[in-house]
Amino acid sequence: MNDLNRLEMEEKLDTGFEALDRGLIVRAQNCFNTVLMSDPEAGEAYRGLGEVQRAMGDVAGARRFFKKAIGLERKKLGGDAPGAHDWWADPATRDYLRARESLAMLHWDEGRHDQAVREFREILKRTPGDDMEVRGLIASLYMLSGDYAAAAEEFRICRDETPALKRDPHVLYNEALTLFARGLVREAAGVLHAGFFANIYVPPAVLQQEAPPCDVHVPSESASPPYAADYYLSYGGAWNEIAGSISFLDAAWRHGDVVEGITRYVQVLRGILVEGTARRRRRLRQTADRLAAGEAPARFIEDMLAAHRGGKFTAESDEAIRRAQREEMMNAPVGPLDGGGAYCTPSRFVDLAFGLLYYEGALMLVDLLSYLCDTMGLYSDITVGELMQRLKGDGRFATDVTDAVYLKAVADPSLCLRRKEGFRPERLYCYAVEELEAAAEGRVPPTADESCLLEALARHGLVITLEELRKKARECRIDELCGRLGVNSLKGKPRRDIELKTKIVWLKTPRYELWGASPYELLMEDMQAPPEAPE
């Protein structure tokens, strides 16, 4: 007998995918498994479990669940021939299409671009109108594979056959990069200019420069700062691989006509946000749309061509820009954004950082600095580069943890430090300096979980101090920690019970990765083990 009705299962699925978007892996896993307990053939729940495994880095597990989802949805539809259904227009077909899309994205993650393209092509066979907007992804995959001729053709088809993609930032920026790679600088500059107005935050993300203000009206989600960050993570490597593309983008973004146009555009977007009357806001939106749809200035195009002919866009020029950016970032002072606050010695600042980790698990470096600088108002006569060296050299912060529950780390610390708008202080308790200092010095009494584990170990003759336990938990993987505590010498139920207690303590102990993330935000909200997925 099913425990959930159809509506309840749909709500549980929605909750699961929402939890996935927020990074709450265990909560999502529980939701999907709960649905499967009521309906063992719920393909969408298997797709959800595949996304959970994908988020945890388990490629084989994700592939298994995605293929299971595809098989179940195919069975439910009675077949998956391109002409067998009114694809996408019939809501009953959408779960099948989404499962194939998830499998394609997994292939992409693995670098298996050919397989990803094949999956997207299969989707296009069923949705020739490109309802799922995958043609832009196909074009981008060709670009990432270095097949610029095929990519250019797909981007042309995007413009001609998929109207929704004409203003899509990732399509515009990638088409500009593709055209540049083919030596078509005039065309690349024109498309790039359109990309600037589709998302004003992408160039600073790729160039790792200061971004335009965020306190403006954002016309769409694709025009937002988070979209730009996602774009950089997906395609930043492509810009770095094509010689001259960074200096081309930098020159275009700094061109006088572009600066003037973007400045005006930002002013209009800010006006939309603060203007009091609906009539005035409507007129400003029309002005913003007109600016965004405008043609690239002729002088801008000609200057880009002249710079290209003059040998300004080279690998050497790219490296000079990167070197200057690294030096600027690493020499930036650590402190509140407004420049004010209470002075704190560098050593004390680092101690307080570690103290914060004891209460909140391991935050991303940008969050940690934002909390200490902006929330607590502390500053120190130390640069970002010096702080990084101190953190790397401090044994308390060292970790070799590579567990699957870790989020994929942001690869570039300077980008991480730039993007302070991602900080979420409302999710943290506001700790006093004294509390953080006490934590840094180890003057924190054992938690209930730590006490429980210490007592359980002592009952079996495995005696360890609280300080030693915390030190080992910071430095070890969970399987290594169990071995070092002697838990592997136990048998049966005592071993299982202590392993569970050890896991809970291990998850709550600060284990910090510079510019990385810990299991804290993923798993602290739900420590219960998820139910077993039905076979």
Side-chain angles (χ1 to χ4, degrees), residues 20 32 70 117 175 266 285 334 376 382 405 442 521 528:
L20 259 179
F32 300 134
I70 293 171
V117 167
E175 182 177 12
V266 168
R285 287 194 184 94
V334 175
M376 299 189 70
I382 186 173
V405 291
E521 289 186 304
Q528 298 299 318

Side-chain angles (χ1 to χ4, degrees), residues 474-489:
R474 286 199 305 270
E475 297 175 349
C476 299
R477 294 168 59 95
I478 179 60
D479 53 345
E480 294 171 349
L481 178 59
C482 289
R484 293 193 188 186
L485 294 178
V487 177
N488 295 342
S489 63

Side-chain angles (χ1 to χ4, degrees), residues 217 268 272 278 280-290:
H217 167 73
V268 173
I272 295 172
R280 176 63 178 161
R281 288 196 298 272
R282 183 169 60 253
R283 293 183 61 183
L284 287 173
R285 287 194 184 94
Q286 292 171 350
T287 301
D289 292 341
R290 187 168 61 254

Side-chain angles (χ1 to χ4, degrees), residues 104-323:
M105 296 306 295
L106 182 68
H107 289 322
W108 190 331
D109 291 346
E110 297 178 89
R112 301 166 69 184
H113 294 167
D114 290 345
Q115 290 89 333
V117 167
R118 279 200 291 270
E119 284 297 325
F120 286 134
R121 294 282 188 202
E122 289 297 323
I123 292 173
L124 275 179
K125 287 179 183 178
R126 293 158 177 80
T127 59
D130 198 12
D131 301 274
M132 299 177 70
E133 299 181 5
V134 300
R135 193 176 293 280
L137 300 178
I138 292 173
S140 296
L141 281 165
Y142 281 131
M143 180 197 74
L144 292 174
S145 300
D147 190 345
Y148 301 119
E153 176 61 18
E154 290 296 333
F155 282 126
R156 184 195 63 76
I157 296 174
C158 283
R159 290 196 307 273
D160 295 345
E161 299 185 8
T162 310
L165 295 179
K166 287 184 178 179
R167 302 296 304 171
D168 186 279
H170 110 259
V171 170
L172 290 170
Y173 282 104
N174 286 353
E175 182 177 12
L177 181 58
T178 297
L179 292 169
F180 178 83
R182 301 188 73 201
L184 303 174
V185 175
R186 178 188 295 275
E187 294 82 352
V191 175
L192 187 60
H193 185 271
F196 287 160
F197 288 89
N199 188 306
I200 60 178
Y201 303 103
V202 168
V206 174
L207 296 169
Q208 299 178 30
Q209 297 176 357
E210 184 175 357
C214 297
D215 56 338
V216 298
H217 167 73
V218 178
S220 64
E221 182 180 354
S222 65
S224 66
Y227 182 100
D230 289 341
Y231 175 87
Y232 174 79
L233 292 175
S234 297
Y235 303 108
W239 284 89
N240 289 321
E241 289 173 4
I242 298 175
S245 62
I246 292 295
S247 44
F248 169 64
L249 178 62
D250 181 69
W253 182 243
R254 290 190 294 106
H255 190 275
D257 290 344
V258 170
V259 172
E260 182 180 346
I262 293 295
T263 301
R264 171 62 177 149
Y265 186 56
V266 168
Q267 289 173 344
V268 173
L269 294 179
R270 179 169 280 163
I272 295 172
L273 196 64
V274 302
E275 182 57 48
T277 67
R279 180 180 179 183
R280 176 63 178 161
R281 288 196 298 272
R282 183 169 60 253
R283 293 183 61 183
L284 287 173
R285 287 194 184 94
Q286 292 171 350
T287 301
D289 292 341
R290 187 168 61 254
L291 289 171
E295 295 291 330
R299 182 173 60 177
F300 165 71
I301 299 293
E302 292 306 318
D303 287 349
M304 291 298 101
L305 273 173
H308 173 61
R309 291 167 182 157
K312 300 294 185 182
F313 306 144
T314 64
E316 292 74 18
S317 300
D318 293 351
E319 180 54 33
I321 291 172
R322 295 191 196 97
R323 185 166 55 249

Side-chain angles (χ1 to χ4, degrees), residues 13 43-44 47 69 73 76 88 91-100:
L13 287 170
E44 190 71 346
R47 183 176 78 87
E73 294 300 333
K76 191 183 303 181
W88 193 258
T93 67
R94 295 180 181 178
D95 288 348
Y96 171 86
L97 294 170
R98 291 192 185 103
R100 295 205 75 152

